Amino acid sequence: MTGGSMPLPPFAAIIVAAGSGSRAGQALPKQFADYRGKPLVVHSAEALVDAGANPIVIAIPRGAELQAMTALGDFPQIRFVTGGATRQQSVYNALEELAEFEPSLVLIHDAARPDLPRDVIERLLNGLRQHHGAIPVLEVVDTLLQADGDLMGETAPRGTMRRVQTPQAFHFGSILGAHRGWPGEPVATDDAQVLRESGGDVVLVAGDERLKKVTFAEDFAEARVTQPSPAPAPAPASAPVRRAAEQPPVRFGTGYDVHRLERGESLVLCGVELDHTHGLAGHSDADVGIHAIVDALLGAIAAGDIGDHFPPSDPKWAGASSDRFLAHACDLVGNAGYRIANIDVTLVCEAPKIGPHRQAMRERLAAICDLDLDAVSVKATTSEGLGFTGRGEGIAAQASAAVVLG
C-alpha cells in the first residue's frame, strides 16, 4: 500500500505482450524496446506488482524467453506463457496458465499502456463487487463519422460512445469460462466483448488519459527526447540540447577484458568452446572475447559497462553463457536507435592457437548479433612471452565496435 491508498483485494494479472509491434518501428518487438529508460513491458509490470498483483502471467512471443527473462526475471511474481496468433488466443493461454492458482479476480492489461495509475486499478476492483467485469473508459469529445472510402459518410452519436482502455477486470471464473465457451475463431480484440458474449455484465468505470497506448515510432522518439538525462553533471547553459533526431549518425566504442587461466575450467572464446588444458575463471563462463565486445557496444551508446548490467555479485549470473550478455547489448543498441555496423575483437594469448577457430568464432558472433559475416572480425596475437598473457596466466581481449543510426 502506498500513501493513503486503501488496501486492495487479492488479485492476479495478465499482461498481453505477445505481438510484433511492427508499427512501432523498433529493432525488436516494442514490448521489449526501451521506453523512458526501461523495456516498455516493465512499466506496467512494476505498477501491477506495486498494487499487489500476484501471480502475474505475461504472454510473450514464441522464442522471446531470453528477452523476457532479461527484462523481468527479477520479479518472483511473474511467469511467462507463449502467446497465440491473436490477442484473444494469447489471453486464453495466460488464463489457463493462471487456472492452477485459482485466483478470485484478474486484471488483463496490454503491455503497450505503460502508465498505469493505481486509482484506475482501485476503481476496476471496486466495480467487481456487483458485476462480472469492469472496464475503464473515456468519453468521446470529437465528432465521429463512418468513412465512405475517402469521403465522409454518416456521423455517429458520440454521446453514447466510449473509448475503451485496459486493464480490464474480471471475476476469474467468469472470464475463463467465457473464453473456453467462445464460439468460432478467437479473434475478439477485447476481453469484455468475450465476457458479454457469454452473458456476463460489464460495468464502465472512469479511465485515465495517462493510459495512452504506445503504438508508433514517434511515441518512442518522444520518450527519448523528454526523458531526463542521466548525466552526473549538468551541461553548461550554452550547450545545445540534442534531440533524438539530432543523434550522431555514427558512434564508436571500445572494450577490454582479462580473465585468468585455471585447470579444470572450460575455455569458451567468442562463443566457441575450445579443447585446452586450462580454462578461463570468472563468475559467468568468462568468455573474455564476448565481454570485451559487450563493453565496446555499451560504450558506443554510452550505456555503462558489462558490470552495470550483469553485476558479478548477482548469483543468477553464476556460470551464465556470455551469449546472453551480447544479445542484451545488441538489443540496447537497437533501443537507442542504432544498428551495429561492425565489431572487431583481438584475443591476446600464447595458447591455444586461435587461427583454427577464427571462422567458427566469427560465425557464432555474427549469429548472436544478427550480422553479416563480413561485419565481424576476430584476430589473435601473442605478447611475445611478456606479461601475464606471455606467462600463460590469463587471456586478454580488446574490442571495438561501430554503430550507425537506423
Side-chain angles (χ1 to χ4, degrees):
M1 185 170 63
T2 59
S5 300
M6 296 293 292
L8 300 176
F11 69 100
I14 290 169
I15 300 177
V16 187
S20 63
S22 57
R23 289 181 294 174
Q26 301 302 298
L28 64 164
K30 72 177 181 182
Q31 58 270 39
F32 302 118
D34 182 82
Y35 184 83
R36 301 192 184 280
K38 63 186 73 173
L40 182 66
V41 65
V42 173
H43 291 272
S44 50
E46 288 178 340
L48 287 166
V49 167
D50 290 344
N54 190 20
I56 300 172
V57 173
I58 302 182
I60 61 174
R62 185 175 301 278
E65 292 79 10
L66 176 58
Q67 290 172 317
M69 281 299 300
T70 300
L72 295 154
D74 291 334
F75 294 95
Q77 305 93 331
I78 290 177
R79 56 198 300 160
F80 305 104
V81 66
T82 302
T86 66
R87 184 188 187 282
Q88 185 180 353
Q89 185 64 55
S90 296
V91 172
Y92 176 66
N93 293 354
L95 286 168
E96 292 290 1
E97 182 74 13
L98 269 180
E100 66 175 280
F101 298 95
E102 299 182 345
S104 176
L105 309 176
V106 62
L107 263 60
I108 303 175
H109 189 49
D110 293 332
R113 300 181 189 270
D115 193 353
L116 175 50
R118 181 186 171 96
D119 55 359
V120 173
I121 297 176
E122 294 175 354
R123 290 195 290 270
L124 289 167
L125 294 176
N126 285 336
L128 295 182
R129 293 178 178 177
Q130 297 181 1
H131 302 275
H132 298 108
I135 61 175
V137 299
L138 295 175
E139 292 187 359
V140 176
V141 296
D142 298 312
T143 296
L144 297 177
L145 58 83
Q146 294 180 343
D148 182 8
D150 291 332
L151 299 177
M152 177 178 175
E154 297 296 323
T155 58
R158 71 182 182 191
T160 60
M161 298 292 179
R162 296 293 184 270
R163 294 160 50 198
V164 180
Q165 302 178 308
T166 72
Q168 299 182 355
F170 306 95
H171 288 271
F172 181 78
S174 298
I175 192 62
L176 177 60
H179 273 271
R180 286 175 173 174
W182 177 261
E185 295 297 316
V187 294
T189 59
D190 181 86
D191 296 291
Q193 174 188 353
V194 177
L195 179 65
R196 195 165 181 271
E197 177 70 23
S198 71
D201 65 318
V202 180
V203 67
L204 309 182
V205 305
D208 196 305
E209 290 287 357
R210 289 166 55 190
L211 278 166
K212 174 186 175 182
K213 193 172 184 179
V214 175
T215 305
F216 302 107
E218 50 263 37
D219 296 327
F220 286 89
E222 179 184 356
R224 285 196 292 269
V225 169
T226 59
Q227 181 182 343
S229 171
S238 59
V241 176
R242 174 173 288 152
R243 301 295 180 180
E246 299 171 355
Q247 295 183 91
V250 182
R251 298 180 67 160
F252 300 92
T254 62
Y256 178 79
D257 196 37
V258 171
H259 281 283
R260 68 181 182 276
L261 285 164
E262 290 187 359
R263 286 189 178 274
E265 298 285 351
S266 60
L267 178 59
V268 180
L269 289 173
C270 295
V272 176
E273 187 166 1
L274 280 62
D275 185 17
H276 190 52
T277 59
H278 292 64
L280 292 171
H283 187 61
S284 63
D285 65 3
D287 188 332
V288 68
I290 283 185
H291 292 186
I293 295 170
V294 169
D295 270 350
L297 292 172
L298 295 176
I301 58 172
D305 60 32
I306 193 170
D308 295 329
H309 297 263
F310 305 97
S313 59
D314 191 335
K316 77 178 180 181
W317 303 119
S321 170
S322 294
D323 294 13
R324 299 172 64 183
F325 306 162
L326 182 53
H328 177 70
C330 293
D331 286 345
L332 292 180
V333 170
N335 293 348
Y338 288 84
R339 59 180 176 84
I340 300 170
N342 74 289
I343 55 178
D344 178 28
V345 60
T346 300
L347 302 172
V348 185
C349 60
E350 300 295 322
K353 296 299 182 183
I354 302 301
H357 308 285
R358 285 180 64 249
Q359 187 67 10
M361 292 177 181
R362 292 178 66 210
E363 291 174 355
R364 182 61 189 142
L365 294 173
I368 298 169
C369 300
D370 193 22
L371 294 173
D372 292 335
L373 193 60
D374 62 6
V376 179
S377 172
V378 176
K379 307 190 300 293
T381 188
T382 70
S383 54
E384 300 292 337
L386 301 176
F388 70 91
T389 58
R391 294 189 296 271
E393 297 171 358
I395 295 178
Q398 182 169 321
S400 61
V403 298
V404 295
L405 273 179

